[in-house]
Amino acid sequence: MKSFLVIGLGRFGRSCARELCDLGYDVLGVDQNLKLVNEAATYLTHTVQADATDEDFLKSISIKDFDACVVAIGNNQETSVMITVLLKEHGARTIVSKAQSDLHAKILKKLGADKIILPEYDMGVKLAHTLCNTNIYDLIDISPEHSIMSIKPPKEWAGKSLGELSARDKYGVNIIAIESDEKEANVFPTASTVINPNDTLLVIGGNENLNRLQSM
Ligand code: ATP
């Protein structure tokens, strides 16, 4: 089973840790604030009160065994930078760090964070997409250039099979799943699967191609 380390149990860290736990994963939540740790102990698999800049503590929890480590500390940039560096030094496989500003994000990236979250910025971008494209349900960034989008099919796609549509050749995107009204999601659509106007499509591709799709 995958296991995750979440350092910092503020609003962001707690919601991430709790959701991971609800999804059935093993989560160790760490905070130096005992009140937050005790509160989190009611819903997390494991919790520890500790200062995550303490190298002896980091050694004791075997950082390299976690599938991913989340540094959920935004306000204290020096601490977030220190913890990101220490996690890297202690063999963290994947580090996701929360940033407070573009400069903070740049520094974290240079220091080896694999993914940077700028919560307010990221949510703002997501909201803008949702507001101007009512047919977009969700947008997941998988790299700076690629995303997965959940959309209603453009009108001209309705009634066509995936084979006829040739979305990869014509639009530069792959349709990876189709959810129809009355059925469960079809996660293995084939060339003969026909798109209905009320379907919701899960589409993966380069951001430019996805943007083009949105404006159709
Ligand atoms: P929020 O997610 O609530 O917006 P934030 O981004 O403002 O939080 P902070 O409040 O600075 O971030 O820190 C989040 C949590 O990290 C706090 O609960 C704090 O106690 C904890 N924290 C800060 N420094 C350390 C540390 N060295 N070791 C462990 N936990 C720490």
Side-chain angles (χ1 to χ4, degrees), residues 7-14 30-33 36 50-53 72-76 79 83 98 100 120:
I7 299 175
L9 298 171
R11 289 166 305 169
F12 179 79
R14 304 201 270 281
V30 177
D31 203 294
Q32 60 190 4
N33 179 329
L36 290 177
D51 177 354
T53 59
I73 300 171
N75 266 336
N76 191 335
T79 306
I83 295 173
K98 177 183 169 181
Q100 193 80 327
E120 291 83 3

Side-chain angles (χ1 to χ4, degrees), residues 134-152:
T134 45
N135 61 338
I136 291 187
Y137 292 96
D138 211 354
L139 180 78
I140 304 164
D141 292 335
I142 48 175
S143 79
E145 292 87 28
H146 300 88
S147 307
I148 296 178
M149 232 168 51
S150 176
I151 57 161
K152 279 286 170 202

